[in-house]
Amino acid sequence: MTIGIDQIGLYTPNWYIDLRELARARGDEPDKYTIGIGQDQQAVAPSSQDIVTMAAAAARELTIDTTKLGLIVVGTESGIDASKASALYVQRLLGLHPWVRALEIKEACYGGTAGLMMARDYVATHPGQQALVIASDIARYGLATGGEVTQGAGAVAMLVTEAPRVLALADDSVYYAEEIMDFWRPVYQDTALARGKYSTEQYLAFFKRVWAQYQRQSGRTVADFDALCFHLPYTKMGLKALRLALPAASAVQQAELTARFERSIQYSRRIGNIYTGSLYLGLLSLLELDDTLTPGARIGLFSYGSGAVGEFFSGTLVEGFTAHLHRADHAALLDARTRLSIPDYETLFRDKVPYGPADYSSDPAFFAGPFVLTGVSGQERQYRTN
Ligand code: HMG
């Protein structure tokens, strides 16, 4: 049975900042942000957008036969509740039927991949059933922190089915886990803590380890891949990992993998880190912006979640895959966004849903997108369909 990604949806909030402007405001060289880090813009989520509204908006792009849906899983590391799963809010907002397992997965940025693998196993053991996997996150480090340039917001939704129409997943995952303190977020705060340089070293060490083991286990080498996609906390990070795999490739293939990597980072350059969804944002960018990949092409995917878990796996493109993408809609989504000045972004960043029991109203001036969080009343989040 072939199982994989049948459809992919995307959502990112309606506001962004220009990172050259942010660099000037922080007293940094703009080239450090656009070349050294590899980011041009950063999505900014107002308080009326959270992981639920973004997850539902991304999933709304998919055509779901709700009678076949047996699993809804949201991967996130910026969850809104320590107990209740965001998947339940998504189920209600989208009007999905109740005969499902609905849950949330957490392991930093690896949560999206954990959800995808759970979905694959679910479909394998429940023939005819489908699974909805959504990776939704708001990456917040804080104003004028080292991590600020690597923030972002957005969600990627994937429908996992038998006989998928976009990417058939191979059963070739290699994964590795080790407890380390490179990045974490204690439950009492909404900004992450990171040992920046150490986290980048660990990302590369995990990639080297799982890539070497993958090659031993599968018998495949870099020559077997038409493209490589990476978790993209910022695009330079993925480039550093790609450079570890390239030396074993021929000159022709090095050029091809590099050109395709460039296409895979374009959405991330404009959105930033969306944690659990970043790898899949890269995959989407590659599929929608590359016109050289053909059915049967093998794509390698490296997932990394701090804390930390790394996984390498692959998939092959399915005949007719381009017909099931939403390239024009995603170009419009990105192009229609409103640019914020840095002072306005700072104001928006500070206006957040409190980590406490007080009631709260989101600013209606920022009610955009298919779903909004209007506020919190009696410690319950209030969602509205626009
Ligand atoms: P930093 O100290 O601001 O940056 O931290 P830097 O001084 O290391 O400079 C960055 C690059 O810019 C360097 O290039 C500089 O040379 C270059 P590199 O040596 O890396 O190739 N540079 C310039 N280039 C051109 N023109 C210039 C210029 N000046 C300098 N004028 C850091 C950067 C990413 C560490 C920071 O932003 C941070 O802490 N971010 C958050 C942590 C993070 O993203 N870690 C990534 C790995 S962990 C991960 O991926 C998991 C995660 O997604 C979450 C999860 O799983 O839970 C984070």
Side-chain angles (χ1 to χ4, degrees):
M1 183 197 300
T2 309
I3 301 171
I5 302 171
D6 185 67
Q7 299 169 54
I8 315 184
L10 169 66
Y11 185 73
T12 189
N14 198 36
W15 292 271
Y16 74 96
I17 51 171
D18 181 290
L19 289 187
R20 297 185 77 82
E21 276 184 36
L22 181 68
R24 283 186 210 102
R26 300 291 177 250
D28 285 327
E29 270 288 310
D31 284 357
K32 174 178 173 184
Y33 289 23
T34 55
I35 300 168
I37 297 286
Q39 295 298 128
D40 298 318
Q41 299 173 354
Q42 182 174 106
V44 178
S47 60
S48 51
Q49 287 296 315
D50 66 7
I51 58 147
V52 168
T53 58
M54 296 191 303
R60 206 183 66 137
E61 262 196 325
L62 313 178
T63 305
I64 302 172
D65 177 351
T66 190
T67 61
K68 291 186 178 161
L69 195 66
L71 174 70
I72 307 170
V73 48
V74 174
T76 187
E77 61 178 290
S78 41
I80 50 145
D81 194 292
S83 168
K84 180 172 172 176
S86 48
L88 290 159
Y89 294 103
V90 171
Q91 177 205 26
R92 176 171 62 79
L93 289 172
L94 294 177
L96 300 173
H97 79 157
W99 299 102
V100 285
R101 289 180 179 149
L103 56 111
E104 186 171 302
I105 285 191
K106 178 178 71 182
E107 190 340 74
C109 300
Y110 176 69
T113 300
L116 180 63
M117 295 307 158
M118 177 185 269
R120 185 184 63 186
D121 294 350
Y122 178 82
V123 173
T125 51
H126 297 78
Q129 291 279 287
Q130 304 187 342
L132 173 60
V133 181
I134 313 172
S136 183
D137 269 306
I138 300 176
R140 285 169 71 92
Y141 290 89
L143 301 174
T145 60
E148 184 181 32
V149 63
T150 61
Q151 297 178 148
V156 174
M158 296 175 275
L159 191 69
V160 177
T161 68
E162 280 177 50
R165 292 173 295 173
V166 174
L167 188 78
L169 292 171
D171 194 5
D172 59 355
S173 281
V174 167
Y175 32 85
Y176 179 87
E178 190 181 320
E179 198 272 319
I180 57 166
M181 290 303 278
D182 61 332
F183 168 108
W184 66 106
R185 182 173 67 83
V187 288
Y188 49 78
Q189 65 179 60
D190 69 355
T191 47
L193 303 175
R195 295 199 167 100
K197 194 168 163 31
Y198 176 64
S199 72
T200 65
E201 290 163 0
Q202 288 302 313
Y203 175 114
L204 295 176
F206 271 62
F207 173 64
K208 264 199 251 181
R209 216 176 263 132
V210 295
W211 174 232
Q213 179 66 7
Y214 177 86
Q215 292 179 85
R216 278 192 292 273
Q217 212 162 290
S218 67
R220 293 195 183 106
T221 68
V222 70
D224 295 302
F225 288 89
D226 298 287
L228 292 172
C229 289
F230 297 89
H231 167 55
L232 298 170
Y234 55 97
T235 68
K236 180 73 163 293
M237 186 77 254
L239 181 62
K240 286 184 185 188
L242 175 72
R243 284 177 179 158
L244 294 176
L246 283 183
S250 68
V252 171
Q253 202 203 359
Q254 287 192 19
E256 195 174 71
L257 289 174
T258 304
R260 290 185 176 143
F261 173 79
E262 271 303 312
R263 287 165 209 137
S264 79
I265 64 174
Q266 295 311 311
Y267 288 177
S268 295
R269 288 192 74 97
R270 298 181 67 183
I271 292 175
N273 193 359
I274 57 167
Y275 287 157
T276 48
S278 289
L279 171 61
Y280 304 98
L281 184 63
L283 173 66
L284 194 58
S285 183
L286 173 70
L287 299 186
E288 294 188 344
L289 303 183
D290 182 283
D291 52 13
T292 63
L293 284 167
T294 50
R298 182 172 298 278
I299 299 175
L301 297 109
F302 174 62
S303 180
Y304 178 78
S306 284
V309 181
E311 179 158 339
F312 188 91
F313 62 101
S314 78
T316 49
L317 288 172
V318 176
E319 192 70 47
F321 70 95
T322 51
H324 305 288
L325 301 171
H326 304 271
R327 180 184 173 153
D329 295 339
H330 296 155
L333 177 74
L334 291 170
D335 292 345
R337 296 179 305 168
T338 302
R339 184 160 104 188
L340 291 170
S341 68
I342 301 306
D344 285 350
Y345 143 72
E346 290 174 346
T347 304
L348 212 61
F349 192 91
R350 290 192 185 99
D351 175 19
K352 55 187 184 178
V353 178
Y355 260 49
D359 280 3
Y360 171 82
S361 295
S362 310
D363 183 349
F366 293 93
F367 283 4
F371 304 100
V372 294
L373 171 74
T374 55
V376 181
S377 168
Q379 302 195 54
E380 294 183 21
R381 289 197 170 222
Q382 308 297 320
Y383 292 105
R384 189 179 88 186
T385 301
N386 257 349

